[in-house]
Amino acid sequence: MKINTFKDPIQVHRAVAKEIIEAIQQRPNLVLGLSTGSTPLGTYAELVKDHQENGTDYGQVITFNLDEYEGLDPNDPKSYRHFMNQHLFGHLNINQKNTHVPLGTGDIEKECRDYEDRIKSAEGIDIQLLGIGINGHIGFNEPGTSFDTYTHAAELSEDTILANSKFFESPNQVPTRAITMGIKSILQAKRIFLIALGLSKAQVIKGMVSGPVSESLPASVLQNHADVTLFLNEEAASLL
Ligand code: GLP
């Protein structure tokens, strides 16, 4: 695991954005795995700024988001599809048809199978961007999730519901289930960038980097991947 530590979040976001922009310049039809939550927002703002100022071309870029809440329509302002349109896709010259977010409504089992097929048809993910939950979840793969999982329906833990309630009016409005790419789907990405910011992530970052590889801390599985880069600010790296 390569660990890049920066003083401030803005430096973290600039470093991640720079890597993504360079990858698009080298491969205009890059397949990019994306994540939600508050952490990648600054990175998305940097990508938008770069697109506006330097015209980086997203015309052929393909994206796959990690997850979506079950039961939320794509037009629902709390859905991850809406989040991505609002913070990233709507500001780039990306073809909406090339942006994939699991559909949280309808036949969930079929959507899980189809999502994996779509990733396969795109010949896999080149760079997967990840955040991390304070309990070590990646995507919505909560502690205890088998390392053998592909895209599947998942039950959210109470910790996660509480943490994600910052995007809702109250915790009881947070959906309790989601569709998420599985651990195996994530590990198939050629490169993985994980961003973590703030003291609240310091403990889990320490466990992920130096603790045992265990399903009780899902992100620890990244120790088994050949090309993972962590982008941390000093607070998130403070226990390393
Ligand atoms: C959600 C997402 C994760 C994300 C996590 C952390 O649960 N499913 O992909 O990493 O939130 O969120 P934040 O960046 O707001 O701490």
Side-chain angles (χ1 to χ4, degrees):
M1 249 185 226
K2 195 171 159 212
I3 304 178
N4 291 337
T5 304
F6 303 84
K7 191 166 188 309
D8 298 314
I10 185 69
Q11 296 169 313
V12 174
H13 296 307
R14 285 189 184 140
V16 179
K18 186 168 174 277
E19 292 276 357
I20 293 173
I21 292 159
E22 283 173 4
I24 293 171
Q25 284 162 349
Q26 278 166 21
R27 190 179 172 198
N29 57 346
L30 190 80
V31 183
L32 199 49
L34 297 172
S35 67
T36 52
S38 48
T39 305
L41 281 173
T43 300
Y44 296 159
E46 288 298 318
L47 292 178
V48 169
K49 187 165 162 259
D50 163 75
H51 173 69
Q52 287 164 349
E53 290 173 2
N54 307 316
T56 299
D57 184 13
Y58 290 78
Q60 296 177 60
V61 171
I62 299 172
T63 66
F64 286 92
N65 264 79
L66 282 169
D67 45 21
E68 177 62 283
Y69 288 115
E70 255 188 64
L72 295 192
D73 184 86
N75 294 317
D76 189 308
K78 308 291 189 204
S79 72
Y80 282 167
R81 160 55 80 180
H82 188 275
F83 177 102
M84 292 307 301
N85 288 346
Q86 184 185 14
H87 295 292
L88 189 65
F89 302 148
H91 307 281
L92 305 176
N93 69 323
I94 198 162
N95 183 343
Q96 273 285 332
K97 284 199 189 122
N98 289 342
T99 70
H100 304 274
V101 181
L103 186 61
T105 54
D107 185 341
I108 300 292
E109 290 306 318
K110 181 173 183 304
E111 177 64 4
C112 293
R113 287 193 303 273
D114 289 354
Y115 205 67
E116 284 294 329
D117 289 345
R118 276 176 240 149
I119 298 173
K120 253 188 229 134
S121 309
E123 293 176 10
I125 292 173
D126 293 310
I127 296 178
Q128 176 66 55
L129 195 60
L130 296 177
I132 185 168
I134 46 173
N135 63 2
H137 75 243
I138 46 176
F140 273 127
N141 294 285
E142 297 282 26
T145 304
S146 160
F147 285 164
D148 277 330
T149 43
Y150 288 97
T151 300
H152 63 284
E155 184 92 28
L156 308 196
S157 72
E158 281 186 26
D159 294 345
T160 299
I161 290 174
L162 201 61
N164 290 1
S165 66
K166 64 189 169 203
F167 291 107
F168 292 78
E169 273 81 57
S170 70
N172 60 19
Q173 290 184 7
V174 183
T176 57
R177 298 182 61 79
I179 296 187
T180 181
M181 275 166 55
I183 298 289
K184 274 214 161 160
S185 343
I186 293 171
L187 288 184
Q188 281 177 352
K190 296 174 189 86
R191 300 173 74 193
I192 296 178
F193 295 168
L194 184 143
I195 314 176
L197 304 171
L199 277 179
S200 66
K201 301 283 170 77
Q203 192 66 48
V204 77
I205 290 297
K206 183 182 174 207
M208 174 185 74
V209 171
S210 51
V213 175
S214 157
E215 287 173 356
S216 62
L217 200 165
S220 65
V221 77
L222 299 177
Q223 291 179 30
N224 295 340
H225 190 282
D227 194 345
V228 175
T229 308
L230 308 187
F231 293 84
L232 311 174
N233 74 336
E234 283 180 357
E235 291 182 348
S238 58
L239 296 178
L240 294 181

